[in-house]
Amino acid sequence: MQEFICEERIHITEISDTRYQRCPQSAKKFISLEEIMPEKDLMPLSRETLAEQCAEIIYKNIINMKPGYEPGSRLSIKNLARDLGISETPLKIAFKLLESQGVLMIQPRKGTYVAELSKRDIEELLAVRSGIEGLAVQMAKGKFSESRLHKMETCLRQCEFALAHDDSEMYRENDAQFHRLIVGAANNQRLDRLYVYLTASEQIINVYSPRSKDAKEHSTVEHRSLLMKFRSGDERIILAELQRHWNNSTQRVLEGYRQYLKFTNLNLDLQPE
C-alpha cells in the first residue's frame, strides 16, 4: 500500500475500496488522492496542496452522486478527516474553497451542506455563462485564429468519438474545453478567471441534470454549426448562433432538472427566491 507524506508528517494511505468513489461510464473507475497527484509529483505536500486534493475528492463525490453527498446532505469534517486519514485543518480549507465556488453551504453553528439549486439558480448560472461567452466574442470582434479553430475542431471530434463509445467523462472534458476556447479568444485574463470560477460553480448542475445521450448529440450538432460561424469571422452571425445554442442548452438543462425533481420527489422550485 502506497503512502504519501504531507508537511505535518501525517501519513495519507491509499483509501480503502469502500471509500473509493466510482465514476460511472468512465475509463477511470475510482478516484483517490494518488490519481489527483501523479507519483512523480509526490513530494512533501503543503497544507494548501493537500486542501486542494481534498476539495477535488469531495467535489467529484458530489458530481457523481456518491451516497452521503447528495444535494442538501450534511458533511462532517471530523468523519471525512477520519476516512481520509488526515487532520481537520486542510479539510476546513477545502470546505471554504468549495463554498466560494457555490458547491457547499456553510451555516454557522449548524454545519456544512452540499448546495441545493433552484430553477432560478440554474437559469442565472447559465445566463451569466452565456453572457460571458457573448462578451468574449465581442471583445475578439468575431475573429478566431486558425490555431484556435483547429483546437475547437479537435474537441468536436473527441466529443463525437466519446458519444460513439459512451464515454461521458471524455465528452464532458472536451465539451467544456470547446467553450473555454470561445472565451479564450478575447485574450483577457480576468474574463478567463471569471469563467473558470463560474464553470466550477456550474458543474453542480450536472447533479440535477445529467445530460442524456440524445441531449449531448443535439449539443454537438449545435457546436458544429457554431464552428462554421466562427470560421466566417462575422461577429453578428456568431452572436446570433451562440444565443440560439444557449437558449436550446438552457431548455435541455431545465428539462433534465424537472425530471430530477420528479424522480427524487424534491420541491426545490418552491425555495424562497
Side-chain angles (χ1 to χ4, degrees), residues 24-225:
Q25 299 179 327
S26 168
K28 288 186 177 181
K29 300 299 182 186
F30 304 101
I31 294 294
S32 67
L33 288 173
E34 64 180 335
E35 289 181 283
I36 295 170
M37 179 167 282
E39 186 172 349
K40 64 183 177 62
D41 293 329
L42 292 179
M43 58 180 65
L45 299 177
S46 70
R47 195 181 301 265
E48 290 73 23
T49 301
L50 184 56
E52 290 169 0
Q53 291 186 43
C54 292
E56 182 73 7
I57 291 174
I58 295 167
Y59 178 73
K60 287 184 178 292
N61 284 346
I62 293 171
I63 294 301
N64 288 287
M65 291 288 281
K66 182 177 178 180
Y69 290 84
E70 299 90 348
S73 297
R74 187 175 186 275
L75 301 184
S76 166
I77 286 182
K78 183 176 181 180
N79 291 343
L80 280 170
R82 182 195 63 230
D83 290 345
L84 296 175
I86 60 175
S87 70
E88 295 182 12
T89 301
L91 278 168
K92 290 178 181 178
I93 299 173
F95 275 23
K96 286 290 186 182
L97 176 61
L98 291 171
E99 181 192 32
S100 73
Q101 295 177 342
V103 177
L104 297 181
M105 297 183 298
I106 299 177
Q107 299 181 8
R109 296 183 295 281
K110 290 185 177 181
T112 300
Y113 300 83
V114 178
E116 292 181 309
L117 297 182
S118 68
K119 177 173 177 283
R120 179 174 177 177
D121 292 328
I122 292 174
E123 289 174 331
E124 288 179 351
L125 280 168
L126 295 177
V128 174
R129 183 178 167 191
S130 66
I132 289 176
E133 291 187 11
L135 177 60
V137 170
Q138 291 175 312
M139 293 176 74
K141 301 186 185 305
K143 307 303 179 186
F144 290 72
S145 67
E146 282 302 317
S147 172
R148 187 170 299 276
L149 292 170
H150 177 73
K151 290 176 182 177
M152 288 180 165
E153 176 67 39
T154 299
C155 286
L156 279 179
R157 291 181 180 179
Q158 292 288 82
C159 283
E160 291 162 352
F161 180 88
L163 285 170
H165 293 81
D166 201 24
D167 190 331
S168 293
E169 184 176 355
M170 182 180 184
Y171 176 87
R172 186 166 54 245
E173 289 174 353
N174 284 278
D175 177 76
Q177 178 62 9
F178 182 89
H179 283 276
R180 283 195 294 268
L181 285 165
I182 296 175
V183 177
N187 195 29
N188 185 298
Q189 292 184 357
R190 287 179 173 81
L191 198 65
D192 287 340
R193 287 196 294 268
L194 178 59
Y195 192 73
V196 168
Y197 166 79
L198 181 67
T199 51
S201 302
E202 188 200 339
Q203 288 301 310
I204 197 71
I205 291 176
N206 290 331
V207 172
Y208 296 89
S209 182
R211 285 186 288 179
S212 65
K213 186 172 182 178
D214 184 60
K216 292 174 184 174
E217 288 173 346
H218 280 296
S219 183
T220 302
V221 169
E222 289 172 13
H223 283 176
R224 179 65 66 184
S225 178

